[in-house]
Amino acid sequence: MFEAIHSPLHELKHPSLRVYVKRDDLIDPYISGNKWRKLKYILAKALHLKRTHLVTFGGAYSNHLIATAAAAARSGLQSSGFVRGEEVENDTLFLCKLYGMKLIFISREAYKDKYGLFKVFFGEDPSAYFIDEGGASAEAVRGCAEIIQELPGDVDHLFCAAGTGTTAAGLLKGIRQQHLNTQLHVVPVLKGGDFIAGEIYNYTKNIEQLNLHTDYHFGGYAKTSPELLQFMAGFTAREGMLIDPVYTAKMFYAIEDLSKQGYFNPGEKIVALHTGGLLGILGKKQQLSASISSPGTL
Ligand SMILES: *Cc1c(COP(=O)(O)O)cnc(C)c1O
């Protein structure tokens, strides 16, 4: 399932901005984008340790939960997911259940101690394998570093959205391993995203080529604004490429905004990593429909 892949690079149709998109969203609809990259070596390790039950954590719209559920089912493994907060139903969790994941809803307070929860619920189960929220781990960083091998060597600016910063750490690691001059640009989707620099440093021990753009969170994690949703709808219709409101829309908005400010030099090669996560669209259906201008009725 995690055989070698090479996702395509597509150039945007944008009239004035030359940007290539690394289409990791096309790897798989459910084990999507960076979640596939992250799970690749996590799963290899779990299988090596002969564990048959993946246990992980996420919010109610977590792309990592559904990716883990799908990856487990396809590998013939069991899966359980701790979901932060009170019991809810939505499309993401519904698909997790279809893939056979057992969901355990847990209060925000108790959720803070993830390893403690794992011990209490699965400490006696020798088949259980702990995977941190979002898959954050050295294995995940290794998987994400491989993205760099699939890019041309002359990229001036590489962009990605960040939640935990694990994907960004992998990209920076790959850039450094290959001695590239590429600048990595990270758009945190949470408020106060400066902490991401520390997270990345923990893995790479060098952040000279890191540029953080912390002003594109639109109010915080999973928060949006009419402006962002309008941008997203316009982008999708123009490019024929779906993006998600939680991560990739904020990244593409940042690229366009920086470009308008004259941030890039003419002729520079810009690549944006499409990290997938398109199910996030379903969580904002109502707000999005409201921002799509009605063509009117006949
Ligand atoms: C999970 C996710 C991210 C964040 O990745 P981190 O490694 O946690 O920074 C970015 N984009 C999408 C679409 C995601 O699902």
Side-chain angles (χ1 to χ4, degrees):
M1 184 184 61
F2 287 98
E3 62 286 344
I5 44 104
H6 193 128
S7 71
L9 203 59
H10 289 164
E11 189 174 359
L12 287 188
K13 297 183 175 63
H14 196 286
S16 57
L17 188 59
R18 286 196 57 214
V19 175
Y20 297 86
V21 183
K22 174 69 173 161
R23 297 295 305 274
D24 270 13
D25 57 313
L26 298 178
I27 295 176
D28 188 282
Y30 305 110
I31 312 174
S32 172
N34 62 345
K35 301 306 185 283
W36 189 97
R37 302 282 185 178
K38 288 171 156 193
L39 282 169
K40 180 177 178 182
Y41 291 109
I42 292 175
L43 232 82
K45 187 167 176 190
L47 291 171
H48 178 74
L49 296 171
K50 305 241 180 323
R51 309 291 179 85
T52 55
H53 182 183
L54 306 182
V55 178
T56 195
F57 303 81
Y61 288 95
S62 166
N63 295 323
H64 168 70
L65 277 185
I66 169 87
T68 305
R74 286 190 217 168
S75 312
L77 308 178
Q78 278 180 278
S79 66
S80 296
F82 287 95
V83 187
R84 184 182 58 234
E86 62 290 347
E87 184 157 358
V88 288
E89 286 181 26
N90 64 40
D91 296 318
T92 300
L93 296 178
F94 169 70
L95 288 169
C96 287
K97 286 191 271 190
L98 267 187
Y99 274 120
M101 181 176 256
K102 300 275 180 300
L103 299 181
I104 306 160
F105 292 88
I106 211 87
S107 74
R108 280 161 205 278
E109 193 49 41
Y111 186 88
K112 287 178 189 159
D113 181 16
K114 298 185 187 69
Y115 201 69
L117 282 171
F118 175 78
K119 279 276 163 232
V120 168
F121 280 78
F122 300 104
E124 307 289 308
D125 176 359
S127 71
Y129 186 70
F130 173 89
I131 303 174
D132 208 346
E133 181 171 44
S137 59
E139 288 76 29
V141 170
R142 180 178 167 202
C144 292
E146 290 183 349
I147 296 169
I148 300 299
Q149 300 164 17
E150 299 175 21
L151 293 177
D154 61 346
V155 176
D156 295 297
H157 304 285
L158 174 62
F159 278 80
C160 75
T164 64
T166 314
T167 303
L171 294 175
L172 194 56
K173 196 160 190 179
I175 287 170
R176 293 184 49 74
Q177 277 166 349
Q178 306 213 22
H179 310 290
L180 301 176
N181 293 321
T182 310
Q183 289 291 319
L184 179 68
H185 297 269
V186 178
V187 180
V189 302
L190 302 91
K191 210 190 279 189
D194 286 309
F195 77 93
I196 302 267
E199 297 293 317
I200 297 174
Y201 183 84
N202 286 339
Y203 288 111
T204 61
K205 303 300 174 210
N206 183 316
I207 49 173
E208 277 167 34
Q209 283 159 273
L210 172 69
N211 305 269
L212 270 188
H213 302 280
T214 53
D215 293 335
Y216 298 101
H217 55 73
F218 289 87
Y221 184 74
K223 298 280 196 313
T224 60
S225 72
E227 193 189 3
L228 181 70
L229 295 173
Q230 241 151 39
F231 167 81
M232 195 181 146
F235 181 99
T236 303
R238 184 185 72 231
E239 303 293 346
M241 186 190 298
L242 289 167
I243 55 178
D244 82 291
V246 181
Y247 295 100
T248 48
K250 293 180 182 180
M251 171 190 68
F252 281 111
Y253 186 101
I255 295 172
E256 193 164 308
D257 192 57
L258 289 167
S259 164
K260 277 186 199 148
Q261 295 170 27
Y263 187 86
F264 307 110
N265 295 316
E268 284 183 329
K269 188 175 257 176
I270 305 168
V271 173
L273 175 65
H274 195 319
T275 39
L278 296 173
L279 287 175
I281 296 171
L282 301 178
K284 298 279 178 204
K285 247 182 311 190
Q286 257 107 42
Q287 296 96 311
L288 268 166
S289 328
S291 7
I292 301 167
S293 53
S294 155
T297 45
L298 287 175

